[in-house]
Amino acid sequence: MEVSPRVLGKASKIISLALPKGTEKLCELCQKTAHLQCTKCRVTFYCDAEHQQADWVGIHERICQMLVTIRSPTLLSLQQAGCIQSQLVKAELIEMCRLVAQSKLSEGKHQEALPAAQFCLRCSKDVHGPRSVQMVPAYLLLAEANMGMGNLAWAAELLSQAEWAALKSSDHVVHQRLHRCLGRLHTATGNLEAALFNFANDIYFASEEYGLDSTVTRGGYFLMANVYAKLGGLPIVRSLYSEVAQTWHCHLTKLLDTHLQNVQSPDTELEPYDEAQRVEVDEMLRTMLEFEQNDSRKDSAQIALVAHCLAMLWFLAGDSLKALGFGNTALQASQLIPNHDLTEPIQGLLQLLHTSR
């Protein structure tokens, strides 16, 4: 049976005679002269069908009708109460676009993240003003999307604007996220010393906000290790990866224990990460596992630790096939070490997986 293609919204040609004299509509994505408009909200415009479809997939499908509220002037909207309501809707749109963009970025869908990130920035300017520190998250989202697409010059410009806005802030989280994004940019451009400097600041601000042993802080360790790998500093890479793996193992073990305690109460079962977060953590742990497996030293204890992390991650996500695969890898590595302390927990997890199938 043939499956019908998904309809990506609908657009119609703009009737120029229906517009006020001297009015020109611009494309939602590229700001060039628009020739099409969304047939649902009729307040969003595009230069061509390609940009209309890209915006629909990226964010417009979710916010189409909300845009009518803020883009259709009425007598009420021009009054104080209407202005307040419009600002509330924009604040809701900012958060929605931020979450959508962040989710797509975590999944590596940089092109799809672009419309949500762009609208988040545009709306943030309307609500907070172009120089506000509250603009920083929107700048970072758009910069990250552009980095993923290879638009490094534009990403650098966005991060420069984010740095100026962040000067007014003493918020550790703002500075931590900014330095992480700057570190990624310098890694992409090959300026590895600058990357290390920014990741060091990322780690500092994260440890001040979350603590040295938090998974957020260890994320900075992981990114710094990747830079040292490019520089050939393998002993430093091993040391940093070890710290990251230990923290994640403790964290996932606690999540697993909580999950098993609540297993008899379906309403309280733990959902530790959404899909985008799992993809990000999975990629990080797989990178470390691959490094250990390809390392000439073949540290069985470290292989067992990281593979056990992956097994717990996917057990909690409900993917028993992946959990079994990583669990077996962990068990094989742990059994190479006499009386290894992870052998019993790994065997316990594998037994859980076998009995639940």
Side-chain angles (χ1 to χ4, degrees):
M1 181 178 178
E2 187 177 345
V3 179
S4 300
R6 180 186 171 198
V7 178
L8 302 178
K10 290 183 179 180
S12 61
K13 287 186 177 181
I14 298 173
I15 302 173
S16 56
L17 294 177
L19 299 176
K21 189 176 180 180
T23 299
E24 183 183 24
K25 297 301 181 182
L26 302 178
C27 177
E28 186 76 7
L29 295 192
C30 67
Q31 298 300 297
K32 293 180 181 178
T33 301
H35 304 289
L36 301 173
Q37 67 179 5
C38 174
T39 57
K40 289 194 173 183
C41 66
R42 308 196 76 81
V43 293
T44 309
F45 305 90
Y46 304 98
C47 61
D48 57 29
E50 183 180 346
H51 277 190
Q52 180 270 323
Q53 291 180 16
D55 191 37
W56 183 262
V57 171
I59 190 63
H60 192 73
E61 182 179 15
R62 297 170 176 83
I63 65 173
C64 182
Q65 291 306 305
M66 295 177 71
L67 296 179
V68 178
T69 306
I70 62 173
R71 291 180 174 175
S72 298
T74 63
L75 181 61
L76 175 62
S77 70
L78 297 175
Q79 296 172 350
Q80 185 177 5
C83 289
I84 293 172
Q85 178 61 31
S86 178
Q87 291 296 88
L88 290 173
V89 173
K90 287 180 181 178
E92 186 180 349
L93 284 166
I94 290 169
E95 181 62 11
M96 186 181 298
C97 290
R98 184 190 69 79
L99 291 172
V100 170
Q102 191 59 65
S103 175
K104 290 182 181 295
L105 289 172
S106 298
E107 295 172 20
K109 299 177 180 177
H110 300 95
Q111 184 82 42
E112 283 190 22
L114 201 60
Q118 283 183 332
F119 190 83
C120 182
L121 180 64
R122 197 177 305 134
C123 226
S124 294
K125 283 182 180 178
D126 290 343
V127 173
H128 305 300
R131 299 181 184 274
S132 169
V133 68
Q134 291 166 298
M135 290 292 299
V136 174
Y139 281 129
L140 298 186
L141 280 175
L142 192 53
E144 192 174 343
N146 277 279
M147 272 191 277
M149 295 166 60
N151 302 328
L152 300 185
W154 179 229
E157 172 61 28
L158 290 165
L159 290 178
S160 177
Q161 294 180 53
E163 285 186 278
W164 276 105
L167 288 174
K168 304 171 187 176
S169 175
S170 59
D171 188 333
H172 290 147
V173 175
V174 168
H175 288 283
Q176 179 264 317
R177 291 175 179 172
L178 173 59
H179 282 292
R180 182 164 294 189
C181 212
L182 284 165
R184 284 176 165 150
L185 174 66
H186 289 305
T187 302
T189 59
N191 190 348
L192 300 184
E193 291 301 324
L196 288 174
F197 172 80
N198 280 285
F199 287 140
N201 279 298
D202 164 13
I203 291 167
Y204 168 75
F205 286 112
S207 63
E208 288 290 301
E209 182 67 23
Y210 305 109
L212 190 59
D213 292 328
S214 79
T215 55
V216 176
T217 305
R218 295 310 192 199
Y221 277 53
F222 173 73
L223 292 168
M224 182 177 276
N226 292 344
V227 176
Y228 276 113
K230 293 177 182 291
L231 292 169
L234 294 184
I236 300 176
V237 176
R238 293 188 191 103
S239 177
L240 291 172
Y241 277 175
S242 177
E243 295 285 347
V244 176
Q246 288 286 352
T247 295
W248 271 100
H249 193 269
C250 290
H251 180 66
L252 288 163
T253 298
K254 289 177 183 177
L255 290 177
L256 180 61
D257 289 344
T258 303
H259 173 84
L260 295 177
Q261 289 169 11
N262 295 332
V263 74
Q264 299 301 323
S265 307
D267 292 338
T268 59
E269 277 198 41
L270 190 65
E271 179 61 30
Y273 302 106
D274 61 26
E275 184 179 354
Q277 289 172 317
R278 279 196 299 273
V279 169
E280 192 171 5
V281 176
D282 176 65
E283 182 180 357
M284 178 186 65
L285 292 172
R286 282 176 187 262
T287 298
M288 293 193 294
L289 180 60
E290 184 177 345
F291 172 83
E292 295 298 340
Q293 290 174 328
N294 294 333
D295 191 3
S296 58
R297 292 176 51 182
K298 286 288 190 298
D299 187 339
S300 296
Q302 192 69 4
I303 291 173
L305 186 73
V306 179
H308 190 208
C309 285
L310 282 158
M312 289 190 287
L313 176 72
W314 288 109
F315 174 82
L316 291 166
D319 192 324
S320 59
L321 192 61
K322 286 184 179 178
L324 272 172
F326 288 119
N328 286 325
T329 299
L331 184 61
Q332 289 170 13
S334 71
Q335 288 177 334
L336 295 174
I337 306 169
N339 303 315
H340 187 48
D341 57 1
L342 280 185
T343 301
E344 187 175 338
I346 294 168
Q347 288 174 330
L349 179 58
L350 287 171
Q351 186 176 355
L352 279 171
L353 286 162
H354 286 301
T355 56
S356 64
R357 294 187 77 184

